[in-house]
Amino acid sequence: MATFGQKLRAIRTENNLTQKDLAKIFKVSESAISMYERDEREPSFKFTNEVASRFNVSTDYLLGRTEVENNGETAKISKGVTEFLNAVELSDDEALLKLKGMLLHKGKELSDDAIREIISYARYRATQK
């Protein structure tokens, strides 16, 4: 299994962030990020939780207890959905109609409320980048 440092580095690079960017986001030193990524320093619970929340992964994933990033309902949002919402200025109702057919959960269509929650979350995530 990958270490915390390996997972942190992978998350950082997947999001096109530098160590300096990550340090600024989490209000820690760049050297702390570097040491975390080299597994020379263990992160605090607070830092681990903040990383999990910011990048929508579970703390179990970060700590090596599972290789599943996140099995929550909201985590099923794909980068494509976020990019779709970023690229097109749609009202919630318009986005709901466009995404309704795209989002399936276990072979069943998601409810309008679930899709609205996904749209809201995707918009929130887009503002956090």
Side-chain angles (χ1 to χ4, degrees):
M1 284 195 162
T3 66
F4 177 88
Q6 292 167 331
K7 290 178 180 182
L8 181 63
R9 176 175 285 151
I11 288 169
R12 179 179 57 76
T13 57
E14 286 169 10
N15 286 278
N16 299 314
L17 297 168
T18 64
Q19 287 183 343
K20 186 175 186 175
D21 295 333
L22 215 56
K24 187 176 180 181
I25 290 167
F26 295 109
K27 296 178 176 75
V28 298
S29 69
E30 192 174 339
S31 64
I33 298 295
S34 179
M35 287 189 280
Y36 293 150
E37 288 188 357
R38 291 191 315 264
D39 292 305
E40 292 177 357
R41 180 176 174 183
E42 289 187 2
S44 67
F45 293 126
K46 180 182 176 193
F47 180 83
T48 304
N49 280 325
E50 288 174 351
V51 170
S53 294
R54 167 85 166 137
F55 296 104
N56 198 30
V57 296
S58 71
T59 54
D60 280 350
Y61 170 76
L62 290 172
L63 298 174
R65 295 179 51 148
T66 181
E67 287 303 307
V68 176
E69 288 184 12
N70 194 329
N71 58 7
E73 192 73 22
T74 306
K76 295 191 189 317
I77 254 181
S78 70
K79 283 188 178 181
V81 172
T82 302
E83 289 170 6
F84 168 80
L85 292 171
N86 286 339
V88 187
E89 291 293 323
L90 296 175
S91 70
D92 286 349
D93 289 338
E94 292 169 320
L96 173 70
L97 292 173
K98 292 249 186 209
L99 293 174
K100 195 171 177 95
M102 293 171 56
L103 300 172
L104 298 175
H105 178 66
K106 295 181 183 175
K108 296 181 181 176
E109 192 172 303
L110 293 173
S111 70
D112 288 358
D113 286 341
I115 295 172
R116 282 188 184 95
E117 186 175 331
I118 290 169
I119 292 166
S120 174
Y121 179 76
R123 287 191 172 136
Y124 164 77
R125 291 281 299 185
T127 64
Q128 300 300 307
K129 292 185 179 183

